[in-house]
Amino acid sequence: MGDAFIRHIELLGYEKRFFPSQHYVYMFLVKWNDLSEKVVYRRFTEIYEFHKTLKEMFPIESGDINTENRIIPHLPAPKWFDGQRSTENRQGTLAEYCYTLVNLPHKISRCLHVVNFFKVRHDDMNPVTDSLIKKPEVFLLPKDSKKNPTDITGPIVLQTYRAIADYEKSSTSEMTLKAEDMVDVVEKSENGWWFCQLKNKRGWVPAAYLEPMDGPDESEEQEPNYAGESYVVQKSYTAVEEDELTLREGDTIEVIHKLLDGWWVIRKDETTGYYPSMYLQKAGEVNISMKSELRNWSAPPRRSTIRNAKSIHKQGRKQISQETYRRNSKKYIQSQYKTNAIIEKNEPQENTTKAQPAVPPRPSKDVILNRCTESTRRKIL
């Protein structure tokens, strides 16, 4: 593989830290060309110094020679005092800056200055803390508010989850867990992988290994939708368990229940079963990079396959059996067939041409002479 470069930079939000003194750092999810994903933390003063150096390296593209040639985005200078309000209000500009930066010509977006600035540092993985100082407050940028960061009123309190079994990471972007470990969940992905932090460690963890501290998390899951949402299979998968489905790339299916562990209940024709959500893409959506990313990603473990799970909520979990999925899905399909049959039955009656009224026979000459007016009689004479 060639030199490392950045594919995407996403602003996740910011942290309010209290050691060695109160300050703010922005959280970035950096996606690299080797498909690894790292979270890094940078102060805005660092980002601005990086920006000034980048402009000096590329004077033409920064507009120093001719303002019309500028393609490097603008970035406002830090304030004399950067408080929480300015940190919060700057997020929209910073998110747009990162997006533009990655999409600049390769000589800029892939230069060593950019690559080195966003590489993971030691303090990204092990931030300097003091056990006597309170934990940092995390302010996440909601996905539906990234273009309007003023909607953020934070702080967003991260949910704490307990590991129900040991988990050994299989890649550098994941995090190893021991049963009973307490983690804070930063991001919940629909594919069943959650980004978590545990003390000084951060990484992706299968959602199936986690349970909330305050009760079962089934309330977070959507109710089954037997009408189904149309999805297209992006990666083939061969069933391992009896209740899973084997599908080929390009198959069209219907999702009827989205579960937190990343294994969704789907319907193919009249058959239902589980399938990894990360191998599905909503019909009509186009994501060119998705297939290349899937090559290095494996489906997360299913919650039902975790052995010896020490779950305090095990008995109280609300579970829907596969037979219930099949029965309700079949009822829905049959009801659709009946509805369609009634419509088809009624259509011919509605489209049948209405009978025309009968035309009465023309009156005879004698009737006209006896009953009609003088002008009418003249016409037949």
Side-chain angles (χ1 to χ4, degrees):
M1 186 175 288
D3 295 334
F5 63 87
I6 298 168
R7 295 185 299 114
H8 180 68
I9 302 174
E10 181 179 347
L11 176 65
L12 299 178
Y14 65 92
E15 277 190 2
K16 181 179 181 181
R17 295 183 175 178
F18 303 92
F19 184 84
S21 60
Q22 181 175 302
H23 64 283
Y24 299 87
V25 293
Y26 289 101
M27 306 164 55
F28 297 95
L29 178 64
V30 184
K31 300 184 179 182
W32 296 85
N33 61 316
D34 63 356
L35 302 185
S36 62
E37 299 181 359
K38 307 292 183 182
V39 176
V40 300
Y41 299 81
R42 300 289 183 266
R43 292 195 187 200
F44 185 70
T45 50
E46 294 181 88
I47 301 170
Y48 188 71
E49 289 301 317
F50 156 83
H51 171 69
K52 287 201 303 181
T53 303
L54 188 68
K55 288 174 61 181
E56 293 171 1
M57 292 173 61
F58 301 97
I60 296 176
E61 290 80 1
S62 65
D64 288 347
I65 298 174
N66 187 339
T67 56
E68 294 181 357
N69 295 328
R70 177 160 191 167
I71 57 175
I72 292 178
H74 292 271
L75 193 66
K79 298 180 181 296
W80 284 107
F81 173 74
D82 266 340
Q84 183 162 338
R85 183 182 294 273
S86 58
T87 302
E88 181 177 298
N89 292 341
R90 195 187 287 126
Q91 289 183 104
T93 301
L94 199 51
E96 186 176 347
Y97 179 87
C98 292
Y99 175 82
T100 305
L101 177 66
V102 173
N103 288 281
L104 289 174
H106 290 177
K107 69 174 183 178
I108 304 176
S109 63
R110 299 186 182 185
C111 71
L112 281 177
H113 180 58
V114 174
V115 170
N116 290 336
F117 182 74
F118 286 100
K119 276 186 177 178
V120 176
R121 302 170 182 170
H122 176 73
D123 56 354
D124 289 324
M125 304 300 294
N126 301 286
V128 180
T129 58
D130 187 330
S131 59
L132 300 179
I133 305 294
K134 65 178 181 177
K135 290 175 60 177
E137 294 177 359
V138 180
F139 297 74
L140 295 181
L141 188 61
K143 291 185 177 180
D144 58 352
S145 301
K146 285 183 178 175
K147 294 185 179 179
N148 187 15
T150 56
D151 290 343
I152 303 172
T153 56
I156 296 176
V157 179
L158 299 182
Q159 288 180 284
T160 301
Y161 281 71
R162 174 193 284 110
I164 60 176
D166 294 347
Y167 175 72
E168 189 66 34
K169 68 178 183 179
S170 57
S171 71
T172 55
S173 62
E174 297 175 26
M175 184 169 68
T176 296
L177 289 179
K178 296 292 184 183
E180 304 301 321
D181 276 349
M182 306 294 184
V183 300
D184 292 326
V185 177
V186 176
E187 179 184 351
K188 296 180 179 180
S189 175
E190 281 191 335
N191 63 17
W193 290 96
W194 291 1
F195 193 79
C196 304
Q197 61 183 24
L198 171 61
K199 296 180 180 178
N200 296 333
K201 297 189 299 179
R202 297 180 180 87
W204 295 95
V205 174
Y209 278 78
L210 302 174
E211 66 179 3
M213 296 295 296
D214 53 357
D217 57 355
E218 275 72 14
S219 59
E220 299 179 39
E221 293 176 343
Q222 302 175 19
E223 290 296 319
N225 173 20
Y226 291 101
E229 290 183 68
S230 183
Y231 277 74
V232 178
V233 177
Q234 297 295 301
K235 184 177 179 180
S236 301
Y237 172 77
T238 302
V240 177
E241 303 288 335
E242 290 183 1
D243 56 0
E244 297 172 1
L245 290 186
T246 297
L247 296 175
R248 294 176 179 271
E249 182 180 328
D251 285 350
T252 299
I253 55 88
E254 294 170 314
V255 174
I256 61 177
H257 200 183
K258 297 179 179 180
L259 302 177
L260 291 178
D261 64 358
W263 285 80
W264 291 355
V265 183
I266 66 170
R267 179 172 62 218
K268 174 66 174 172
D269 299 327
E270 295 190 13
T271 306
T272 63
Y274 293 91
Y275 200 81
S277 65
M278 64 190 305
Y279 296 162
L280 303 173
Q281 182 172 293
K282 199 161 189 175
E285 292 184 357
V286 178
N287 189 343
I288 300 174
S289 63
M290 183 176 180
K291 290 186 179 180
S292 60
E293 292 181 6
L294 288 177
R295 286 198 295 267
N296 288 359
W297 275 88
S298 58
R302 288 177 55 186
R303 178 175 283 163
S304 60
T305 63
I306 300 175
R307 309 304 177 193
N308 302 318
K310 299 177 180 178
S311 170
I312 62 173
H313 304 302
K314 192 173 182 181
Q315 302 301 321
R317 286 197 177 283
K318 173 189 174 185
Q319 294 183 340
I320 301 178
S321 69
Q322 183 61 20
E323 180 57 34
T324 303
Y325 283 126
R326 290 195 183 106
R327 184 172 61 250
N328 289 342
S329 185
K330 191 172 181 180
K331 282 181 181 178
Y332 177 81
I333 294 174
Q334 289 175 343
S335 68
Q336 290 299 102
Y337 285 159
K338 289 178 181 178
T339 303
N340 293 337
I342 292 172
I343 293 173
E344 290 174 2
K345 186 177 180 181
N346 292 337
E347 279 180 352
Q349 296 177 357
E350 294 174 357
N351 295 332
T352 301
T353 304
K354 292 183 179 180
Q356 298 297 321
V359 179
R362 190 172 185 274
S364 64
K365 184 178 179 180
D366 293 337
V367 171
I368 293 174
L369 291 174
N370 292 328
R371 298 183 181 179
C372 294
T373 62
E374 183 66 26
S375 61
T376 304
R377 291 201 297 268
R378 284 175 188 164
K379 291 178 181 180
I380 63 170
L381 294 176

